[in-house]
Amino acid sequence: MFLTQFMTKGWRALATRGTDKPDRFRNVSLIWAAVALAAFGWSVSAMLQANLFESGPLAEQLFKPHAPELWSRLAMVCALLCLGIIGQRVLARRRRVEAQAAHYARILDSSWTEIYFFDGKSLRYVQTNEVARRNLGYSTQAFMQLTPFDLMPELDEFQFNTLAGPLRRGERDQVVFETFHRRADGTDYPVKGRLQLHTKESPPVFVAIVQDISERRAHLAQMQRRNMYDTLTDLPNRHLFDDRLGDAIAAARRETTPLALILLDVSHLRDIRDTLGHRSADRVLQQIGNRLQYVLRPSDTVARLGGGEFALALPAVDFEYAIEVAQRVRKELAPPFTLEEIPIHVDAHIGIVLFPEHGDDPDILLQRADVAVRQAKREKADYVIYNPARDPYSLRRLTLFGDLRHAINQGDFMLYYQPKVNIKTREVASVEALVRWRHPKEGVISPSEFIPLAEHTGLIKPLTTWVLNEAIRQCRACKQAGLNVKMAVNLSAGDLQQLHLPDEIAKSLAAWEVGAHDLVLEITESAIMEDPERALRVLARLDTMGVQLSIDDFGTGYSSLAYLKKLPASELKIDQSFIKDMAHNSDDATIVHSIIALAHSLGLKVVAEGIETAEVLEVLGILGCDTAQGSYMSPPLPSDKLIAWVKAQRVTLDKVSYAN
């Protein structure tokens, strides 16, 4: 009876499955040891009862009449011992398997991805890890009642069969998908998953490894917004505006309705930045963006294209409404912006174009609106409507773009020279080199047309190199002819940003054996203000070399007297817009007189350009101007006539003859 109870406990322990008790295997081992010990005792007691150990050889005792019962007991003991050994090995193996399974289960639960196992036929979940249960808010028991259709609202049976079809047919090992998971509270979050099918299991089991991509989606959305919106004003940027303008043009084309584009360029931002700093200028731009939105309808779009440039797209409007919006824009920008209790005033130049009158492409409309803005700046107008007749660029500009590089390589440029006359000594003090483009179809083209093109295309560097070398060569020719004249050459804004420019000038001067003091470089205020610090570095090196510097077109720029003091200049040229009518315009005469006095107080010589009459020349002499330049003395001359003109000319203040 005692042995039977132990055996029963042993078999029950061996058959026990699914328990989580940590001492189960140790208890089973003890039970089997007790069973083996009891069986051994039972056998020994049988031997004692049979008097096997009393007398006679053991071999003889084993074959007595009661021996079969003994043998059966011994066989049972051996069987029990063998069964115990086998059972122990089975239990040990099961212990290793379950320990390994528990280890993998811990790894599964510690994974940061969601892992799902679901039946290949019923599609019910059979196992999930802790991350999946935590993210979705379901208990283990609740999960066992769900299918993928409960977690993925976008998924239906047809879509699932389409997704799992290649797995079932053995065409692929896994498939990748993106969808949304729905939590127990009804909220959704985006996921990306990989689905596999294990057909060796019975029944087959689907395994889905799923990753929450909410942060990645949010990051991508943020990056996309940065690519499409201006980070400063939070308005659409140029890329997004181009897209919206293209869509608006397509809609206007379908519905045969007009569309207006307004481009505005805010003034005085550079002054604000230089005076109050970049952050203050940024705050002004932010406030401008906010004010512009007040003048728009829900269907309109306002964007910041860069710097102080903004654009407005107005679908289904005509010129009258576009002009009204332009006026409202100026009205909104009229009140001062307050920064640190300082009232800041800004202004804007506005250009207006209309679809389809002025173009049917976003790039064309923006380019022509930009032309109108520049025209508004020149004319100091509130707004300008694009006029094709006044567009100096369009198709002709594109043609010149293509011809410019070829012209530089083929030597289609030439220099003309205009003398500068010393009003007191009546001698030619210097000549200014003026570049011209001999276009095979257009004829002679003025630098006011092709210099901006050269700067835009990056061709200003080789062009300037050619002009400097040719002008210095001509200066050498004048010296050899016995003429002591200086050579003046104009530099553009792009030239002043070339830090190696002084080195190139030094090489050219050395090559033609011309002194640096015989070269005068004319620079404009606006060219200096493109990047004042960089320009001053270049000009300081040129001044150290001995090259003379002249400030050209003075009075038309926006530089301050502080920068004027810093410039290592020896000469100042008054713009011809003040010279032309000064004999009959007292305001112009007053301005010229003030500029001459200012220049002399700073130790600068004064050159007046654009002189066309003897009357103007006489007034300049009375006001103390040093040098005169203009068609009254001489128009620009080609190199083959320059030396002859200078030798033959006897300049007087009351009469100047031309030699052409």
Side-chain angles (χ1 to χ4, degrees), residues 426-442:
R426 306 174 186 178
E427 296 178 351
V428 176
S430 61
V431 294
E432 180 180 358
L434 302 171
V435 63
R436 299 290 186 266
W437 181 4
R438 295 172 297 188
H439 195 278
K441 295 182 179 179
E442 299 287 340

Side-chain angles (χ1 to χ4, degrees), residues 469-660:
N469 188 71
E470 183 66 16
I472 293 173
R473 185 194 66 78
Q474 182 63 36
C475 183
R476 171 67 175 173
C478 291
K479 295 290 184 182
Q480 291 177 337
L483 303 177
N484 186 25
V485 295
K486 298 180 182 296
M487 181 63 64
V489 178
N490 290 278
L491 295 183
S492 70
D495 295 326
L496 291 181
Q497 306 309 312
Q498 304 292 334
L499 295 179
H500 58 273
L501 178 66
D503 297 327
E504 293 187 0
I505 292 177
K507 291 180 182 179
S508 186
L509 290 172
W512 294 107
E513 299 179 350
V514 173
H517 60 278
D518 289 323
L519 178 63
V520 180
L521 298 178
E522 297 188 2
I523 52 179
T524 63
E525 294 177 89
S526 57
I528 298 171
M529 296 303 291
E530 284 288 328
D531 188 343
E533 299 303 325
R534 192 180 183 92
L536 287 174
R537 290 171 58 188
V538 174
L539 296 177
R541 286 192 60 195
L542 292 171
D543 180 61
T544 302
M545 291 168 51
V547 175
Q548 297 187 43
L549 302 175
S550 175
I551 303 174
D552 197 9
D553 298 338
F554 187 82
T556 61
Y558 43 80
S559 62
S560 64
L561 291 177
Y563 275 113
L564 186 59
K565 289 195 304 179
K566 293 181 181 180
L567 293 176
S570 59
E571 182 180 274
L572 183 150
K573 294 184 71 174
I574 304 175
D575 186 69
Q576 59 183 342
S577 61
F578 301 107
I579 301 298
K580 186 176 181 180
D581 298 324
M582 62 174 294
H584 307 286
N585 188 316
S586 60
D587 292 336
D588 285 347
T590 301
I591 292 174
V592 171
H593 185 223
S594 299
I595 294 175
I596 293 173
L598 172 65
H600 285 168
S601 67
L602 294 174
L604 303 177
K605 298 293 184 179
V606 180
V607 178
E609 59 181 348
I611 300 172
E612 298 178 353
T613 64
E615 189 176 10
V616 171
L617 183 61
E618 182 180 358
V619 174
L620 287 171
I622 295 172
L623 296 178
C625 184
D626 301 294
T627 307
Q629 177 183 359
S631 60
Y632 180 70
M633 278 68 68
S634 172
L637 301 170
S639 59
D640 58 345
K641 294 184 179 181
L642 173 65
I643 295 177
W645 186 90
V646 174
K647 285 184 174 181
Q649 190 64 34
R650 295 294 181 267
V651 180
T652 62
L653 292 178
D654 55 351
K655 183 177 181 181
V656 179
S657 61
Y658 299 149
N660 295 315

Side-chain angles (χ1 to χ4, degrees), residues 261-265 309 349-353 358 363-379 381 383-395 397:
L261 170 63
I262 294 179
L263 192 65
L264 63 143
D265 190 18
E309 194 174 47
H349 301 285
I350 297 175
I352 303 173
V353 295
H358 299 144
D363 291 337
I364 293 177
L365 289 175
L366 283 169
Q367 185 267 330
R368 292 177 176 175
D370 184 61
V371 172
V373 168
R374 279 180 282 172
Q375 185 179 339
K377 288 182 180 180
R378 290 194 301 269
E379 299 176 359
Y383 62 86
V384 167
I385 299 172
Y386 175 78
N387 184 353
R390 304 181 66 183
D391 184 356
Y393 306 103
S394 60
L395 183 60
R397 186 187 189 197

Side-chain angles (χ1 to χ4, degrees), residues 271-296:
D271 295 334
I272 297 172
R273 187 177 295 112
D274 292 343
T275 305
L276 300 177
H278 286 271
R279 291 187 178 181
S280 296
D282 290 345
R283 288 170 58 190
V284 170
L285 287 171
Q286 291 171 342
Q287 295 181 45
I288 290 173
N290 293 334
R291 291 191 187 184
L292 289 178
Q293 296 183 70
Y294 288 119
V295 305
L296 300 180

